[in-house]
Amino acid sequence: IPADAAAVGVLDLGQVMKKMDYEKFTETAMFQDMIADIEGDNAEYLQDLMKNPKNSGIATNGKICMYVNMESQDELSVSFLLPIRSLKDLEAMFDKAAEKDDSPFKNIMEGEGFKYIEDSKNDSKISLGWNKKMLCFSISEKQNTTENLKEVFDIKRKESIMTNKKFKADKSEGHDFMLWVNSTPILEAVMKDEKMAKQLTQPLFF
């Protein structure tokens, strides 16, 4: 997560699943109704994944992170980071998804040290990238997917949010969920917009 992220969310998935006793939850009527509603060619496979989420290859005892990058009001990205437990299981899940005729997993591309798929929606790029350790789902207004994902996977610790002492202290408190907002990049992005900056600097009269 870059040091200049405008907002960061951290969900301790392992802690939450332990508290809710996920194994017992799978035996409840609510859970049975949820998996019964899954339809399609891969319904049985998806139902099994919900019953045994570890089979997805994601480290369910780890933390899921979300962050927002805001270079300007019109150029922002939202990314979700998930730790990988087993790359083999993760790619087996993608291979299963590729069995559908219109699946984007039929066109997996190679980046520098990672693989990815991409799609476009309106003016945004939707991408899913992964390496041996991490899976990244990103919605970005940057049109270069490889550049956006390279920034995610190549970031050095000295350039990361962990250099922010306040964030590091808040994260160390061990909450199930934390949402941390940094006003500096938000204000910088807003002030780049001349119209918005002018409005903010106008005196207010009551």
Side-chain angles (χ1 to χ4, degrees):
I1 299 175
D4 60 352
V8 180
V10 181
L11 173 68
D12 191 327
L13 184 61
Q15 200 161 281
V16 170
M17 291 185 72
K18 184 177 180 180
K19 286 181 177 180
M20 72 182 291
D21 196 338
Y22 191 81
E23 190 173 340
K24 282 190 176 180
F25 174 65
T26 61
E27 299 172 0
T28 64
M30 179 188 293
F31 182 85
Q32 297 303 321
D33 288 342
M34 286 169 57
I35 64 171
D37 288 337
I38 299 175
E39 299 178 348
D41 297 337
N42 293 326
E44 186 175 342
Y45 180 72
L46 293 173
Q47 288 170 350
D48 181 65
L49 281 182
M50 287 189 67
K51 293 175 184 175
N52 304 284
K54 287 182 179 179
N55 293 344
S56 66
I58 300 299
T60 55
N61 62 339
K63 294 179 174 65
I64 296 175
C65 299
M66 176 279 295
Y67 71 92
V68 178
N69 255 4
M70 190 173 184
E71 295 184 13
S72 70
Q73 280 190 292
D74 300 318
E75 188 173 347
L76 59 83
S77 62
V78 180
S79 300
F80 295 85
L81 307 177
L82 294 84
I84 293 175
R85 178 189 62 81
S86 167
L87 182 61
K88 181 180 178 181
D89 288 347
L90 181 75
E91 293 190 330
M93 179 175 67
F94 294 159
D95 289 342
K96 191 72 177 178
E99 292 176 4
K100 293 186 66 176
D101 291 338
D102 57 348
S103 172
F105 288 98
K106 287 184 178 294
N107 187 30
I108 294 176
M109 293 170 277
E110 296 273 353
E112 294 182 32
F114 61 90
K115 297 178 182 180
Y116 70 97
I117 60 171
E118 66 179 1
D119 198 3
S120 297
K121 187 175 183 180
N122 299 325
D123 294 327
S124 298
K125 282 278 188 179
I126 301 172
S127 60
L128 184 72
W130 63 95
N131 58 14
K132 294 179 180 179
K133 296 181 178 180
M134 183 170 61
L135 177 72
C136 175
F137 172 72
S138 181
I139 303 172
S140 175
E141 291 175 352
K142 289 183 178 180
Q143 293 304 300
N144 191 325
T145 299
T146 54
E147 179 184 320
N148 185 50
L149 288 172
K150 187 177 178 181
E151 289 177 4
V152 173
F153 292 118
D154 282 359
I155 194 164
K156 304 296 186 295
R157 192 173 184 84
K158 66 180 181 179
E159 302 166 348
S160 81
I161 194 67
M162 292 303 289
T163 59
N164 187 302
K165 292 181 180 179
K166 179 61 177 171
F167 174 83
K168 195 172 181 179
D170 290 342
K171 182 176 178 291
S172 68
E173 292 182 8
H175 298 294
D176 292 349
F177 177 73
M178 180 185 81
L179 179 61
W180 189 87
V181 179
N182 182 3
S183 61
T184 301
I186 297 174
L187 289 173
E188 287 177 350
V190 170
M191 294 304 286
K192 287 179 183 177
D193 186 314
E194 291 184 13
K195 184 178 179 181
M196 182 66 73
K198 188 175 181 180
Q199 291 174 344
L200 290 174
T201 54
Q202 287 291 326
L204 300 177
F205 297 96
F206 297 93

